Amino acid sequence: MTGFRSHPLFAAPAVVSTLAAGALVAGGVLAAGALLPAARVRASPVAAAPCSSAENPAVAKKLGTQIQAALAGRTGTESVAVYDRKRGIRCAVAAGSHYDSASVVKATILGALLRKVTDGKRSMTTSEKSLANKMITRSDNAAASTLWRSVGRTRMSRFLKQAEMTHTTLGPSGYWGLTQITAQDQIELLSRYTTSNALLPDHARAYALKLMNSVIASQRWGTPAGHPANVTWHVKNGWLPRHGRDWRVHSIGAFDGHGEDYMIVVLTRDTPSMAYGVQTIERVARTVHRTLNPGIQSIAPESTPNNTWETSDGSVPADR
């Protein structure tokens, strides 16, 4: 696979949306007295051509226009990266901007664990399998912390370098949820999971994708929204308020089957609620799925907020 980092679109400037006083969020109006981030004015429009493709320029142009429309007027800051191997389409909106990872980093911890097992020329232990399952399918934080310590910073850093995730910085000490990630590096990670490569053996990749396809129902929001009925989804999400108010809400997803092979990453920060961040992500996701699969029935409509929303994923203590 051609390295994403070499593509000029990843130099796109950050995209910042306008915050309207009294903004509505998914599921209702912000509670009275809720603290809002300072007003953010979009200094310039989204990059004129966020998507490109030598093979399918017309589809790429349409997709870029649709992504721009999906982001128009949204509160907060967003980064988007899309890679479609089949059509040779690459999209980037502020894909080099950094974000607190929240629980999205668990997909990276899993990759480093699988590389550690591969280096040891052994199979995963029963304990490692149990911890990995909990960490990905239920976003279990205790499991993530155990594997973070077990893999260790040296191996984690080595994995980032091997995966060409050179713009990712590990969180300090045990705060893996404060790892600094970019949309472009998350595409690099998903690329290693979705095609044969020297870093992760095929059986390791299949194991990781199976876990990402087994996420519990309440955590299947985000990039899977609107995916075609005949396409298999793989997802990992993260949701984290910092200092009690400004949310970081992220979703990374890979989609394959029936000839499809594409990835979507949407990272957001400074949104007024988790629900609002999810809505932003799903606006982009539905746009991508619809544009790449015209005329094909889609499933997974817009997510309905449940009682787990507006509660941090716990990847960082509340006072951090």
Side-chain angles (χ1 to χ4, degrees), residues 2-296:
T2 302
F4 245 62
R5 191 160 294 100
S6 62
H7 198 276
L9 286 176
F10 283 105
V15 177
V16 183
S17 303
T18 303
L19 173 64
L24 295 179
V25 300
V29 182
L30 288 174
L35 294 175
L36 292 176
R40 300 176 186 278
V41 178
R42 193 182 292 275
S44 60
V46 177
C51 301
S52 69
S53 171
E55 300 95 319
N56 292 278
V59 178
K61 181 178 180 180
K62 179 179 181 180
L63 179 57
T65 299
Q66 294 299 320
I67 289 175
Q68 287 177 319
L71 293 175
R74 301 302 290 172
T75 294
T77 301
E78 313 92 15
S79 288
V80 177
V82 177
Y83 177 35
D84 182 344
R85 282 198 186 94
K86 173 182 175 181
R87 301 170 182 84
I89 295 175
R90 294 173 169 83
C91 303
V93 176
S97 296
H98 286 86
Y99 294 75
D100 298 324
S101 68
S103 286
V104 162
V105 76
K106 291 168 182 173
T108 302
I109 297 173
L110 176 62
L113 169 65
L114 294 174
R115 184 63 222 179
K116 174 185 176 181
V117 170
T118 299
D119 287 340
K121 299 180 179 180
R122 63 176 178 82
S123 299
M124 294 180 70
T125 66
T126 300
S127 175
E128 286 172 335
K129 288 182 179 179
S130 176
L131 290 168
N133 184 288
K134 293 176 182 178
M135 177 177 70
I136 299 299
T137 66
R138 306 187 66 84
S139 205
D140 185 277
N141 293 323
S145 293
T146 298
L147 290 175
W148 173 268
R149 291 191 299 268
S150 174
V151 173
R153 296 185 70 86
T154 299
R155 284 187 179 275
M156 287 291 302
S157 296
R158 184 185 306 156
F159 177 79
L160 293 177
K161 182 177 180 179
Q162 292 170 324
E164 298 185 74
M165 299 170 66
T166 56
H167 294 289
T168 298
T169 304
L170 298 177
S173 186
Y175 298 118
W176 42 263
L178 292 182
T179 294
Q180 297 300 293
I181 62 172
T182 67
Q184 71 183 46
D185 273 8
Q186 290 302 295
I187 288 286
E188 294 286 358
L189 176 65
L190 292 176
S191 294
R192 287 352 183 249
Y193 280 144
T194 55
T195 192
S196 293
N197 62 88
L199 181 59
L200 295 173
D202 287 350
H203 69 273
R205 296 189 305 102
Y207 174 76
L209 290 173
K210 181 179 179 180
L211 291 183
M212 293 175 70
N213 181 243
S214 302
V215 170
I216 59 176
S218 63
Q219 295 179 20
R220 293 178 189 173
W221 48 264
T223 51
H227 73 84
N230 61 349
V231 168
T232 302
W233 55 268
H234 315 276
V235 69
K236 186 68 196 82
N237 296 327
W239 56 103
L240 170 70
R242 293 303 306 279
H243 311 297
R245 59 175 187 145
D246 296 339
W247 282 83
R248 287 86 168 102
V249 187
H250 314 314
S251 183
I252 65 173
F255 305 88
D256 57 34
H258 287 78
E260 295 301 331
D261 183 4
Y262 59 92
M263 291 143 266
I264 305 171
V265 172
V266 187
L267 311 179
T268 75
R269 67 168 174 261
D270 299 334
T271 64
S273 70
M274 176 181 168
Y276 190 97
V278 172
Q279 184 184 61
T280 297
I281 292 168
E282 295 192 345
R283 283 167 61 103
V284 174
R286 290 195 302 275
T287 286
V288 175
H289 293 304
R290 182 175 59 248
T291 305
L292 296 182
N293 302 278
I296 296 179

